[in-house]
Each structure stands twice: as structure tokens, then as C-alpha cells.
């Protein structure tokens, strides 16, 4: 498909006879209101005309350039016309070629999309965002709409990414939870300085992404786990623009990543909300993404597992990572207030999957390890008498009021750790109450570890909390897992591993000696 024309239509939000839709047999409408459904009386939509390359006639024109501006980009410094650009509404300018041969060149525009915000990026191969936003008659509080275009043919299908243990026998996972990214730069919540004082106004997303960039470069993880609430639904009327911001950091560094959802990812106004299904569909097509929607016949979106292969050239799994959707809010608020829980059919899927993989995992000649990630903590995270280590319990746990038994299923299948997010300023690890001979047990654990909130778009107001991320360092030579955190601010802590904790050794959960 090549693009032959682009235009923009506006219509009245209060006049039922006013339409923003052109003839659908000729035009494809990009289903994003350019005012993000915030216009007082107007809506606006971008329309694209496309044709299959083989259907082009000698009279057809192919779009080879698109710019935004008040002045004709074809007029040079001395006022001379250098190229014939065509004007469209909202100061869109098109450069169209009548040469049919342009359709198979890298000049031809083959796809058009819309993103929002001054910080919009497009990490998809071959795509680029126009430098100037669309010049609409819109309030300054509405995030600017920006056209993004792809030149040339569609790149080859996304190659399968196969995570693998490094030559030194190690594998590092960076868990990013509660990024809370917005459409546009967003506003900071509870941002503090080295003394714990509120710093005042700041832009949330640039500060969050700068922090994440630094940790990616310093820790050089082999895999990133996006632990839910990547998108702050209420401040992200275009979730795609928010998703592309974190994806750009990872794709540009060739780092594989796997995502689960939190309760905020698909929140926001109904008219512009992007469902979990749509977000996962988008994520699963991006480069380096390991994210999957999971089976359609069980509850939630994003129930899947990732196998980390042993050192090359082995094709055996060394680590299995399980990802499950912990949903959002309680479906029975009258009986169980607060948040939702992992459902029975999800637990059944996990148990059957784990048992079904055991024979294959037995082919690995070293110690095989299983880890899990969810967003909302399990009820066991907040049990009285837990062994708590490697962090602090700063806020009440918002685990669901109903216990569906997922912790027991993890324990029964020998999973050694489960990571979560959701409670932003809790960053501790915990084991359920242990008997005196627990260290001799064959089935202790799993360790339950909070990631801590990483994004400035979410709260962190429980006293002196700096945003942080969790690192899981796995050494397959000894079947050992060590975990620590890295913080965004300040002083000596900036470069340190915070609360480093040995949780697994020889493939078995380690119980602290002083517990």
C-alpha cells in the first residue's frame, strides 16, 4: 500500500448532522480525535487515501513528503519555487510525485499515524515524527497532535527474540514498575530532593525516562520486565504515545522486554481509552518485545511465559519467567473491597503449564529456576509474621481482600520468587512465616519482592521516598539469585546497589539466618 493523499476534516461536537468522516471507500480515517475529545465544540480527524502499488495508474500521485508549517516548504530563500508542495487543512503540506516508479522507492510514504505531545517518539522501524505539530485551533492544555509517517516498504516481520544466559553464566533482569507515563510530559507528584523536601513543579515523564535511561546504561540488563501501570490512564488520553516512550528506550538499546498490566494502564475517558487487548496487540508487534496476550479462554490479558535459554549453543531452558494479569479493581466491592485477584482459571493454566514444562526442563544439566511477575501484590505480601528483608514497609499493602490461592500454586510448583509493583513506596522482600526447620525444607518460598515505584507521574508521598527500580541478578553457575534496587536520587546512593539481598542459592530459597 502507498499513500496517495492526506487530508484533515473537522466537525461540530454539538451538531449531530456534522460529520468528520469522508467516503470510506476512498479514505481511511485514523481513529484519533486530534483534540483528544477535549475540544469544546470541535472534533478533527486525519484521513489517508491509499492504493495498492499494482493498482496505481499513470495519473495517480504518490506522496513522497509531508510537512507541517505556515509557509510553503517549496519556496526557497529568494522566493523561488523549488518543489511543488500542495496545501491541505491545518497547514499540512504534501509533496506528491506523478511518477509511478516512486511507489516502490524509499521515498514513497506507505503509512501515516498520529501521536501526541511535545515529547512524542516513534520507535517503529522506518517511522519518523514530524518536527512541527499540527497547527490546530486548540487550547494550550490539549496535547499537540503530531503526524508520524513511514517511508518505503514495510520492514520485515519482527524477528523472534530469544533471551539467553550470557557466556559467563549470568542473566540480569531489570524490573520497572509503575512508570505512570502520560500523553505529553506530565506533571510530577511528590518529587523530592536529597533532603526529602518537595522540589516543586517538574515534568514527570522526562525525569522518569532520564532515570530509566541511566539505569539501563549502568546495569546493562539482559531483559526488562515492565511490571504494570506503564501508562497513567487518567493523564494519557493517547496510550500509544505513552507506550512508545518507554519502548523507544529499550528498542534503541536492543534490550528484550516483557510487559504485564496494572490497574491504571487502561483507565481514562472511555472515548479515548485503549483496552488491554489493544495495548498488548501494539506491544507484541514492536521490536524486542516478548509480550503476549496469552490464551483467550482464561481471564485477563497477558498471561504467558518466557523461556530463557542456557548458554549457546544449548536449546534447553535455564529460567522460566511467568507473567500473569492481576486485573484491576474488585468485582465484588461489597464483600472484598479494593483490588482484584488472580482467577482460578489463571491458576489452573499456570499449574498445568508449569507441570507440562517439567520434562523439558529436566534436560537442562544445571539447576533450572522459575520466577513470576504480577502487578497487584498477593495477600501473602502483607501477612503478619512474615520474614521481611531487603527494604522497607512504608505504606499499607493494597493486596486483594480475597485470597484465590495463587501463592500456594507458586510454592507447589517450585517458583523461587514473585515480583510485584502497585504499592509504590513498599520495596521490601518477604517470606511467609517460617518454622525452625524451614531451611531444610525442599519447598520454601517463594520470595515476594516489591519493585518500588519508578515513575514521577505516580504518588510517592509516604515520607522521603526516591523513585527506584529492582534488579534481579541470576547466576546459573551456582543457581543463585541476588536482588537489589537502584534509586533516582541523590548523593552517594545514586551509584549504589541499595538493600542487596541473596534470596536463592543452589536453586533453593535462602531463609535469612536471623529470621
Amino acid at each position: 500500500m502507498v499513500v496517495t493523499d492526506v487530508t484533515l476534516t473537522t466537525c461540530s461536537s454539538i451538531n449531530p448532522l456534522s460529520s468528520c468522516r469522508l467516503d470510506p471507500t476512498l479514505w481511511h480515517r485514523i481513529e484519533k480525535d486530534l483534540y483528544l475529545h477535549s475540544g469544546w465544540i470541535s472534533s478533527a480527524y486525519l484521513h489517508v487515501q491509499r492504493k495498492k502499488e499494482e493498482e496505481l495508474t499513470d495519473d495517480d500521485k504518490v506522496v513522497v513528503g509531508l510537512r507541517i508549517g505556515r509557509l510553503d516548504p517549496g519556496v526557497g530563500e529568494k522566493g523561488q519555487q523549488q518543489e511543488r508542495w500542495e496545501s491541505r487543512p491545518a497547514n499540512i503540506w504534501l509533496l506528491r510525485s506523478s511518477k509511478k516508479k516512486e511507489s516502490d522507492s524509499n521515498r514513497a510514504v506507505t503509512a501515516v499515524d498520529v501521536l501526541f505531545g511535545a515529547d512524542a517518539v516513534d520507535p517503529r522501524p522506518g517511522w519518523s515524527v514530524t518536527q512541527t505539530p499540527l497547527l490546530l485551533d486548540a487550547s494550550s492544555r490539549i496535547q499537540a497532535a503530531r503526524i508520524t509517517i513511514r517511508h518505503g516498504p514495510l520492514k520485515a516481520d519482527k524477528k523472534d527474540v530469544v533471551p539467553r544466559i550470557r557466556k559467563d553464566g549470568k542473566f540480569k533482569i531489570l524490573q520497572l514498575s509503575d512508570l505512570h507515563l502520560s500523553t505529553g510530559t506530565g506533571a510530577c507528584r511528590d518529587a523530592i530532593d536529597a533532603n526529602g523536601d518537595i522540589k516543586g513543579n517538574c515534568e514527570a515523564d522526562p525525569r522518569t525516562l532520564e532515570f530509566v535511561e541511566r539505569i539501563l546504561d549502568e546495569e546493562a540488563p539482559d531483559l526488562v520486565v515492565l511490571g504494570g501501570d506503564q501508562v497513567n490512564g487518567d493523564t494519557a488520553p493517547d496510550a500509544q504515545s505513552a507506550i512508545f516512550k518507554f519502548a523507544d528506550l529499550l528498542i534503541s538499546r536492543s534490550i528484550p522486554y516483557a510487559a504485564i498490566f496494572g490497574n491504571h494502564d487502561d483507565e481514562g475517558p472511555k472515548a479515548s481509552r485503549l483496552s488491554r487487548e489493544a495495548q498488548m496487540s501494539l506491544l507484541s508487534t514492536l521490536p524486542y518485545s516478548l509480550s503476549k496476550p496469552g490464551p483467550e479462554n482464561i481471564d485477563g490479558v497477558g498471561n504467558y511465559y518466557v523461556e530463557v535459554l542456557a548458554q549457546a549453543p544449548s536449546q534447553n531452558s535455564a529460567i522460566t519467567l511467568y507473567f500473569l494479569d492481576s486485573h484491576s479493581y474488585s468485582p465484588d466491592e461489597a464483600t472484598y473491597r479494593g483490588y482484584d485477584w488472580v482467577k482460578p482459571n489463571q491458576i489452573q493454566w499456570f499449574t498445568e503449564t508449569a507441570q507440562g514444562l517439567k520434562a523439558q526442563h529436566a534436560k537442562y544439566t544445571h539447576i533450572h529456576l522459575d520466577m513470576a511477575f504480577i502487578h497487584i501484590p498477593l495477600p501473602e505480601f502483607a501477612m503478619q509474621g512474615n520474614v521481611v528483608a531487603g527494604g522497607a514497609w512504608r505504606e499499607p499493602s493494597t493486596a486483594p481482600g480475597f485470597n484465590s490461592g495463587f501463592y500456594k500454586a507458586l510454592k507447589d510448583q517450585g517458583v523461587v520468587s514473585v515480583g510485584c509493583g502497585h504499592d509504590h513506596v513498599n520495596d521490601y522482600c518477604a517470606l511467609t512465616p517460617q518454622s525452625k526447620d524451614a531451611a531444610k525444607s525442599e519447598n520454601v518460598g517463594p520470595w515476594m519482592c516489591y519493585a518500588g515505584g519508578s515513575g514521577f507521574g505516580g504518588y510517592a508521598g509516604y515520607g522521603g521516598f526516591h523513585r527506584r527500580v529492582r534488579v534481579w541478578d541470576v547466576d546459573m553457575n551456582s543457581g543463585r539469585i541476588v536482588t537489589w534496587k537502584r534509586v533516582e536520587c541523590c548523593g552517594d546512593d545514586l551509584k549504589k546497589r541499595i538493600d542487596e539481598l541473596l534470596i536463592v542459592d543452589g536453586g533453593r530459597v535462602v531463609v535469612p539466618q536471623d529470621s
Side-chain angles (χ1 to χ4, degrees):
M1 300 289 288
V2 293
V3 174
T4 57
D5 206 349
V6 179
T7 194
L8 182 146
T9 61
T10 59
C11 57
S12 170
S13 302
I14 58 176
N15 183 356
L17 299 180
S18 178
S19 173
C20 282
R21 191 174 294 278
L22 299 177
D23 184 348
T25 63
L26 300 175
W27 294 90
H28 165 70
R29 189 174 90 165
I30 298 173
E31 295 301 329
K32 290 186 178 183
D33 179 8
L34 302 179
Y35 293 105
L36 289 170
H37 301 281
S38 297
W40 287 102
I41 59 173
S42 298
S43 295
Y45 288 87
L46 203 66
H47 287 73
V48 181
Q49 201 168 84
R50 305 178 297 183
K51 265 193 172 184
K52 292 182 179 179
E53 185 181 344
E54 60 269 21
E55 294 177 356
L56 290 170
T57 68
D58 291 334
D59 295 329
D60 285 322
K61 292 185 177 182
V62 176
V63 176
V64 295
L66 186 153
R67 293 184 189 174
I68 311 296
R70 300 188 188 280
L71 302 178
D72 184 346
V75 177
E77 293 182 1
K78 297 182 180 180
Q80 296 180 342
Q81 188 78 25
Q82 297 172 340
E83 293 179 305
R84 185 170 297 279
W85 289 76
E86 303 174 24
S87 176
R88 298 291 185 269
N91 298 102
I92 298 173
W93 294 89
L94 301 181
L95 182 62
R96 300 201 300 165
S97 172
S98 59
K99 299 176 182 178
K100 190 176 177 182
K101 67 179 182 179
E102 293 285 11
S103 66
D104 62 357
S105 76
N106 287 325
R107 293 187 70 204
V109 174
T110 53
V112 178
D113 203 351
V114 178
L115 298 172
F116 295 85
D119 57 345
V121 292
D122 198 329
R124 295 174 293 186
W127 287 79
S128 59
V129 181
T130 53
Q131 292 184 347
T132 306
L134 283 166
L135 302 176
L136 301 169
D137 182 18
S139 166
S140 60
R141 63 185 177 84
I142 298 175
Q143 295 298 331
R146 307 172 77 90
I147 295 179
T148 178
I149 59 176
R150 185 183 69 213
H151 281 280
L154 179 66
K155 303 300 180 183
D157 290 339
K158 181 172 73 77
K159 295 181 180 179
D160 289 335
V161 177
V162 181
R164 185 181 285 279
I165 304 299
R166 302 194 306 264
K167 291 181 179 180
D168 62 1
K170 295 185 177 182
F171 191 81
K172 184 183 289 186
I173 300 169
L174 177 65
Q175 184 184 357
L176 300 175
S177 191
D178 299 275
L179 288 166
H180 282 269
L181 298 172
S182 298
T183 302
T185 56
C188 288
R189 294 181 62 186
D190 306 323
I192 59 175
D193 61 16
N195 298 318
D197 298 323
I198 300 295
K199 294 188 70 172
N201 296 330
C202 68
E203 294 181 329
D205 289 15
R207 185 165 173 181
T208 298
L209 296 170
E210 183 180 352
F211 167 45
V212 172
E213 275 194 293
R214 175 171 64 83
I215 299 302
L216 290 173
D217 293 339
E218 291 177 2
E219 291 287 353
D222 301 292
L223 175 73
V224 168
V225 171
L226 297 154
D229 284 357
Q230 287 79 243
V231 176
N232 194 55
D234 287 337
T235 60
D238 185 61
Q240 182 183 6
S241 296
I243 289 169
F244 278 0
K245 286 190 277 191
F246 69 74
D248 184 59
L249 299 185
L250 302 170
I251 293 169
S252 64
R253 290 168 171 77
S254 304
I255 301 174
Y257 54 98
I260 51 178
F261 295 124
N263 51 294
H264 289 295
D265 285 293
D266 55 348
E267 284 185 335
K270 185 177 181 180
S272 57
R273 185 186 310 161
L274 198 62
S275 68
R276 272 166 147 77
E277 289 82 1
Q279 290 189 41
M280 185 57 79
S281 177
L282 178 63
L283 278 167
S284 61
T285 62
L286 293 176
Y288 295 98
S289 175
L290 301 170
S291 310
K292 300 175 185 176
E296 294 182 358
N297 61 339
I298 66 172
D299 289 302
V301 178
N303 302 294
Y304 62 104
Y305 66 93
V306 169
E307 297 278 38
V308 179
L309 299 187
Q311 294 143 288
S314 173
Q315 294 301 307
N316 292 321
S317 166
I319 308 170
T320 303
L321 306 174
Y322 293 96
F323 303 89
L324 284 92
D325 186 356
S326 55
H327 313 287
S328 295
Y329 302 97
S330 172
D332 185 3
E333 184 69 22
T335 307
Y336 303 105
R337 296 186 62 185
Y339 293 93
D340 209 344
W341 49 85
V342 178
K343 300 300 171 58
N345 60 8
Q346 293 175 273
I347 297 173
Q348 181 181 359
W349 167 82
F350 161 73
T351 300
E352 291 176 352
T353 300
Q355 291 176 345
L357 291 171
K358 288 189 183 300
Q360 186 67 31
H361 293 167
K363 297 178 182 179
Y364 181 54
T365 56
H366 291 66
I367 300 167
H368 186 279
L369 295 174
D370 295 297
M371 305 170 67
F373 295 92
I374 54 177
H375 179 71
I376 297 172
L378 301 172
E380 285 79 5
F381 273 75
M383 284 182 61
Q384 294 296 319
N386 274 351
V387 176
V388 176
W393 191 333
R394 294 180 178 86
E395 66 171 304
S397 172
T398 55
F402 177 73
N403 194 332
S404 62
F406 186 45
Y407 181 86
K408 183 178 184 303
L410 292 169
K411 184 183 183 75
D412 290 345
Q413 298 307 315
V415 172
V416 295
S417 68
V418 54
C420 80
H422 190 58
D423 297 337
H424 297 185
V425 301
N426 285 336
D427 67 347
Y428 62 85
C429 291
L431 282 174
T432 53
Q434 302 295 311
S435 61
K436 291 183 179 181
D437 60 347
K440 300 177 182 178
S441 171
E442 291 296 328
N443 208 18
V444 176
W447 273 101
M448 302 171 284
C449 293
Y450 278 106
S454 60
F456 283 86
Y459 75 88
Y462 281 78
F465 185 84
H466 297 294
R467 267 62 173 194
R468 59 201 60 205
V469 298
R470 180 170 290 280
V471 178
W472 306 79
D473 192 51
V474 185
D475 186 344
M476 298 309 298
N477 300 304
S478 55
R480 173 177 291 195
I481 300 177
V482 177
T483 185
W484 62 83
K485 279 105 55 184
R486 294 291 305 275
V487 295
E488 188 263 352
C489 176
C490 297
D492 292 339
D493 286 346
L494 206 60
K495 296 285 186 180
K496 287 182 179 178
R497 299 177 177 183
I498 304 299
D499 298 323
E500 189 168 346
L501 181 67
L502 173 66
I503 61 171
V504 177
D505 197 12
R508 296 175 60 180
V509 167
V510 173
V511 181
Q513 293 183 355
D514 56 353
S515 63

